[in-house]
Amino acid sequence: MTSTDATDSTDGGIRKIGVLSMHTSPLDQAGVGDSGGLNIYVRELANSMANQGIDCDVYVRRTKREHPEIVEIEPGVNIIQIEAGPLGLLKGDLPAVVDLWTQGVADRLERRPVDAIHAHYWLSGVAGHHLKHRFDVPLAVTFHTLGRIKSFSGDAEPEDRIRAEDAVIGCADAVFASGKVEADQLDSFYEIRRDRIEILTPGVDHTLFSPGSSHSARKAIGLGDYPILLFVGRIQALKGLDLAIDALAASQHRDARLVVVGGLSGHQGLETHEDLMARVKRHGLSDRIIFVEPQPHHLLPNYYRAADVCLVPSRSESFGLVALEAAACGVPVVASDVGGLRDNVLDDVTGLLVDERDHKLFAAAVDKLLSAPEMRHDMGTRGVERAALHSWDAGASGAIEVFRRLMSRELVTCV
Ligand code: UDP
């Protein structure tokens, strides 16, 4: 028996997970378009699970002609492209091809059986729900963002999505939350039994993200000797780059610069970009903001190491990998006091949480840190210690345990 032969498993254990990531692929560049934390999460978790003997078939929608049908990214981790709709379909049009994509995945699962399904984001949740019933296997879902929570924080989501999430949550055997705060949100915004919520804290690749000389990092990426604020991620309204720009304008440190690493995202990406550019111009900040195109994940450590403070001013966030990566590199974080960032950033210990969307409060937090090198150093040290507790290997072990438990109990049925 091979380790990929899921149906032949005789020990009642788990051999292979079918990972569903319909709307974005681990093969895509993170930090632009629809690719971000989810891509990193799926890739890192799958790699760590495979290292622990659990193979992962990761199903994505084909968006590029050049990829072969199956791309092995690590031994035991295969990315499988399923054709459904035109290659360049926008995210907003994906609900119309979910059924087609699900059928494509089902055809492959007939030939490549899995013991359980792990779906990412609500679109894959819808597919996973169908496949769970068809193949009689447990379904776990990580939503990454949830419609009701986004709507609550001012980014209204369509009713169709919210209804679909309700149906998936109603039948999921487990829903993974990134920490206690997201678990509490799931509990209060959705009808879900608490014992079906499992905590899977995302990790960070410590072989990449570690402290290092700020001077060398700045030299390597062409930055000078001035206070540096860093923003890393997709540029869309949800991420709050507007607040970071306004905070820079309000900072007393007139020599500080804001480095922005990432690209446009979402159907309003261009609009957001124009608004941000107008804001930069209005504040007269053109020579104090440095826009850097999205960087391959492994090139990011130098950006973190170069920074004095990392800004994460999101409107809502299920976890915020960027905050953890900054901490792992010894950089204090100034973040909004929302969602998973509350689990991720320890206020006054690894950074500062700002509880209102007020640029003056963000500027005050930034100024507090820029004026106090010792505080920055202490928070950086605490951040490294804290980040050391979060690894993808630990996340994968926890997830495997959950899947083992799900295999040994009756599947949840639709009400
Ligand atoms: N990222 C990257 N290159 C970039 C910008 C971002 O690899 O140019 C990665 C970043 O390191 C992080 C992820 O994209 O791992 C963003 O995750 P986060 O949870 O912060 O935000 P999300 O995209 O999930 O909203």
Side-chain angles (χ1 to χ4, degrees), residues 29-32 34-41 43 144-145 209 232-234 236 238-239 261-263 292-298 300 304 312 314 316-323 325:
Q29 163 72 54
V32 61
D34 295 323
S35 308
L38 189 153
N39 306 61
I40 305 294
Y41 183 123
R43 187 185 71 203
H144 299 272
T145 63
F209 297 97
V232 176
R234 296 174 294 128
Q236 59 165 219
L238 183 82
K239 291 290 180 180
V261 184
V292 179
E293 63 184 23
Q295 296 293 301
H297 200 55
H298 67 275
L300 284 178
Y304 289 116
V312 187
S314 311
S316 68
E317 196 70 73
S318 70
F319 185 70
L321 284 177
V322 161
E325 290 160 7

Side-chain angles (χ1 to χ4, degrees), residues 16 29 38 43 64 94 101 144 146 164 174 176 203 205 232 268 277 285 305 341-342 369 372:
K16 193 196 263 187
Q29 163 72 54
L38 189 153
R43 187 185 71 203
K64 293 193 180 75
L94 292 180
W101 187 78
H144 299 272
L146 279 154
F176 285 119
D205 181 347
V232 176
Q268 289 172 324
M277 290 306 124
L285 287 176
R305 288 174 193 145
L341 288 168
R342 289 181 182 156
L369 288 171

